[in-house]
Amino acid sequence: MRSARAIRFSVAAAAAALIGLSTQLPLWTLKMEAPQYRHGLFLHVFGTGMTGDVRELSILNHYIGMPPIEAPALETSLFPIGIAFLLALTLLSPLHRWVRRAAVAATVAVPLSILADLQWRLYSFGHSLDPKAPIRLKPFTPLVLGETHMGNFESHGMVSWGFWSLVAAAVLLVLAERISNGFLRRGTRPSRDAGLGVAAGLAVLLLGPAQLSAQSAGALQARIDAAPRGATVVVPAGHYAGPIAIRGPLTLTAEGAVTIDGGGRGSVVTITGDQVTFRGFAVRNSGRDVTEEAAGIKATGNGHRIEQNDVRDVYFGIHLGNGSYVTVRGNRIVPGERHGARPGHGISAWHLRDSEIAANQIADARDGIYLSFTDRVTVTGNRVTRCRYGLHSMYSHEARFEGNEAAANLLGAALMMSDRLVLKGNRIREHRAGPAAYGVLLKDIGGLIAEDNHIVANRVGIYAESVPADGTGEAVFAGNLIAGNETGLALQSTAALTLTRNRIAENLADVRPLGRQLSAGMRWTRDGRGNSWSAYRGYDADGDGIGDQPHRVEDALDALIRRSPMTQAFLYTPAHLALEAAARLFPLFRQPPVLVDERPLMTVNGVLR
């Protein structure tokens, strides 16, 4: 009898450990998918709160009139009380079969009650829409388990690890009698303290790593704090727990393979003061709370150098703010998607001046490199892939983007509400998926010089709207290759660009007006030189490199495509050729030209077109 009870206490201790574990794991997860969110948005529900893309989901909900997402006060206050009651029942269950049955019933009822409460909450959210919202939807009910369609979003509700921990605890309690009988039939006689041993072992497993990490973090931070101003601290190879804080002037370099793990709390490395060099580290595991803007490396101040680090499994990669003369060079940044949280930007610069972001490799971030309210920042030689926007400028002035490669993002370079920009020598390619598959997007830009870029194999090579923004600046595209796109240039009637010496080749449509016609301010020649067009059918009798006849874009099918995009399927078919022939033979069918390049080039930089 004493042995059977010891076994039941062991099983009860294991079930209690699972119940305790459920308080640290998400009980339920919601994933929201849409074309503009490549990796989805996630909401993770715990017994005492929520994590994930809460802020961004609340912003989206605002547009359809749904209340902000907040953890319900009643449920989150009752959950710890319910867990304490459940633990007490579980630990007392070996004393009597009726206590065990009550523990089993309670352990089964709790996860089912959680699902029922979540479904009611989802129903309430979907039926509490503000009729004055910008976007109006009919009331709807997202499913707590399964898929639901809402406009262009799909929601996927699913139970998570915390839920299954409670289910596993219930299964253990149900099988406690059978487990004890099985041990006794095999002649196993565990100690009366087996339950305490299991609980102690679990405590060591759960609390031991945290204690060890705290000691490592304290040791590294103590070395940093003890270093004199301007000193160099060489960190030996090893795995160190963070977060850590560095105040300059100070140099911190890694000797061999050095990993700093933030333990999922805030920014892993925080740099303040001036003249800090941080070089050669592997930085991992920042916090995921959107509101705190946690980063692998967060820096404020002047004169810092952040070089040759490997930053992964973080929210923001490197977050720079309120500083000047900062260099970020040679880092590898992959924020990733651990815990399902949509990542932040690879490199984010806010109120930064006279700084350089160079030779970094960035993947799987929100935006690869994001400039906001910056002045005279140079972005050069970086490679950005699999992000939302590769290069992104907002409210920034005199930024230079030179020699970068942006490939296979949702959008290559988004330049908006900025002035006096330079876009030179970049390779922007293969942006073909999603609703904004542009190589370059220009919106509300003042002055712009775009030279020697390769903008190829995108759905839209260049999209422009309100450029120049105030009508006083100039946006010049010179010497670029715009080729192999579905549409080379998609231009709103507010875009007045100057194009000269560009090679515009092998696009399904070279130029497409997005209004009734192009702006009268569009210029296709400068200093007597137009552009090279693969579709040009003229000749150069005098051999001066300039076509003797203007190049006209007056595709009759293109006019139909603008009215009905489905007709694009007939491009370069016999139907297309017949329509073009009819337009030439019968002027009644001829459309006004989309554009006229008076000085088309036969060669670009000496190369035959």
Side-chain angles (χ1 to χ4, degrees):
M1 178 67 69
R2 183 174 298 173
S3 297
R5 178 166 291 182
I7 295 170
R8 295 191 189 104
F9 269 111
S10 299
V11 174
L18 287 169
I19 293 170
L21 186 62
S22 72
T23 65
Q24 306 301 313
L25 298 173
L27 299 165
W28 178 78
T29 294
L30 179 70
K31 180 181 181 182
M32 299 287 289
E33 294 181 336
Q36 64 268 41
Y37 292 98
R38 182 172 181 172
H39 302 297
L41 298 173
F42 289 83
L43 177 68
H44 305 285
V45 174
F46 294 76
T48 55
M50 300 178 181
T51 63
D53 301 308
V54 180
R55 182 169 177 264
E56 188 143 0
L57 285 168
S58 292
I59 292 171
L60 291 172
N61 288 347
H62 165 75
Y63 290 107
I64 63 172
M66 187 179 287
I69 297 175
E70 296 178 347
L74 178 62
E75 286 89 332
T76 52
S77 60
L78 290 177
F79 183 78
I81 299 172
I83 289 295
F85 176 72
L86 200 56
L87 286 171
L89 275 179
T90 300
L91 293 173
L92 294 174
S93 63
L95 299 178
H96 196 279
R97 62 182 180 182
W98 289 110
V99 180
R100 182 168 61 85
R101 289 174 182 174
V104 170
T107 310
V108 171
V110 166
L112 295 179
S113 300
I114 290 170
L115 285 182
D117 182 72
L118 283 169
Q119 185 62 77
W120 177 74
R121 290 285 178 182
L122 290 172
Y123 173 86
S124 299
F125 268 96
H127 286 75
S128 302
L129 304 181
D130 186 347
K132 298 180 181 179
I135 300 174
R136 297 180 183 179
L137 295 180
K138 294 181 180 179
F140 58 91
T141 304
L143 296 177
V144 70
L145 297 177
E147 180 180 303
T148 307
H149 293 266
M150 301 164 290
N152 68 332
F153 276 87
E154 291 182 5
S155 73
H156 302 269
M158 62 204 86
V159 295
S160 194
W161 294 106
F163 181 93
W164 291 118
S165 294
L166 290 171
V167 171
V171 171
L172 277 179
L173 291 174
V174 168
L175 298 178
E177 189 82 24
R178 186 173 298 178
I179 292 171
S180 64
N181 291 337
F183 270 106
L184 292 177
R185 281 196 299 270
R186 289 195 299 270
T188 305
R189 298 180 59 84
S191 143
R192 288 191 303 174
D193 296 327
L196 293 175
V198 171
L202 286 168
V204 169
L205 288 174
L206 293 173
L207 300 178
Q211 183 64 30
L212 292 173
S213 294
Q215 292 173 358
S216 299
L220 179 56
Q221 187 65 63
R223 286 194 62 193
I224 295 169
D225 294 341
R229 290 170 59 83
T232 296
V233 176
V234 179
V235 181
H239 191 100
Y240 297 84
I244 63 170
I246 307 169
R247 183 169 182 83
L250 192 70
T251 295
L252 208 68
T253 63
E255 184 179 56
V258 179
T259 299
I260 302 177
D261 190 317
R265 304 184 308 277
S267 294
V268 182
V269 178
T270 300
I271 296 173
T272 57
D274 298 328
Q275 304 294 329
V276 169
T277 297
F278 184 78
R279 181 186 297 121
F281 292 86
V283 178
R284 302 288 186 269
N285 198 15
S286 77
R288 292 307 189 285
D289 191 341
V290 177
T291 58
E292 68 179 347
E293 295 187 336
I297 303 170
K298 179 177 286 189
T300 57
N302 309 307
H304 302 311
R305 300 188 68 89
I306 301 171
E307 301 174 328
Q308 301 170 22
N309 302 289
D310 187 90
V311 183
R312 298 172 185 266
D313 185 25
V314 292
Y315 188 60
F316 284 93
I318 299 175
H319 195 341
L320 312 169
N322 285 326
S324 60
Y325 301 103
V326 174
T327 298
V328 179
R329 178 182 289 274
N331 301 282
R332 169 76 174 171
I333 303 168
V334 186
E337 299 176 315
R338 190 179 177 190
H339 308 316
R342 193 164 75 93
H345 306 309
I347 298 176
S348 175
W350 181 77
H351 280 281
L352 189 68
R353 300 170 301 282
D354 302 299
S355 296
E356 181 184 38
I357 299 171
N360 302 283
Q361 296 188 47
I362 304 169
D364 298 322
R366 183 178 302 180
D367 294 348
I369 298 173
Y370 178 56
L371 307 184
S372 179
F373 296 97
T374 67
D375 292 284
R376 299 175 300 282
V377 172
T378 298
V379 178
T380 179
N382 302 280
R383 187 172 190 273
V384 183
T385 61
R386 302 194 307 273
C387 297
R388 184 185 68 161
Y389 299 167
L391 310 171
H392 191 181
S393 172
M394 293 286 291
Y395 304 105
S396 293
H397 305 297
E398 299 183 69
R400 300 180 66 91
F401 298 90
E402 298 186 24
N404 303 286
E405 180 178 4
N409 307 287
L410 288 184
L411 192 155
L415 310 180
M416 298 185 281
M417 278 73 90
S418 299
D419 191 18
R420 289 162 288 163
L421 304 181
V422 173
L423 187 70
K424 184 174 182 178
N426 301 285
R427 301 296 182 264
I428 301 173
R429 58 185 177 84
E430 298 176 18
H431 301 97
R432 309 187 69 87
Y438 306 145
V440 177
L441 179 148
L442 307 174
K443 189 176 189 307
D444 296 298
I445 294 295
L448 170 68
I449 297 174
E451 295 181 329
D452 303 325
N453 301 287
H454 284 199
I455 304 170
V456 299
N458 306 285
R459 182 177 294 174
V460 175
I462 299 168
Y463 170 91
E465 176 183 351
S466 299
V467 183
D470 57 6
T472 60
E474 187 177 22
V476 179
F477 279 78
N480 302 282
L481 174 64
I482 306 168
N485 307 286
E486 290 185 25
T487 300
L489 296 100
L491 305 173
Q492 297 283 1
S493 58
T494 55
L497 313 180
T498 297
L499 285 92
T500 179
R501 298 185 293 103
N502 301 287
R503 172 63 170 161
I504 303 173
E506 311 303 339
N507 305 290
L508 286 181
D510 286 335
V511 180
R512 179 163 293 163
L514 299 181
R516 295 179 63 87
Q517 59 187 13
L518 296 179
S519 167
M522 286 294 303
R523 298 287 180 266
W524 300 97
T525 63
R526 188 177 194 182
D527 299 328
R529 299 179 66 81
N531 302 276
S532 169
W533 306 82
S534 63
Y536 181 55
R537 296 295 178 262
Y539 53 87
D540 179 19
D542 57 9
D544 64 354
I546 297 174
D548 294 342
Q549 301 293 324
H551 175 62
R552 297 175 180 270
V553 176
E554 49 185 358
D555 194 335
L557 184 60
D558 194 65
L560 295 176
I561 291 173
R562 293 200 299 272
R563 292 196 295 267
S564 177
M566 295 296 292
T567 56
Q568 183 165 296
F570 293 101
L571 277 171
Y572 307 114
T573 66
H576 180 198
L577 299 178
L579 183 61
E580 291 301 308
R584 288 192 299 271
L585 294 173
F586 305 101
L588 177 65
F589 294 101
R590 183 172 295 171
Q591 300 289 325
V594 174
L595 66 93
V596 178
D597 185 342
E598 297 286 354
R599 307 281 287 174
L601 301 182
M602 305 302 292
T603 63
V604 176
N605 297 328
V607 179
L608 187 66
R609 69 169 183 85

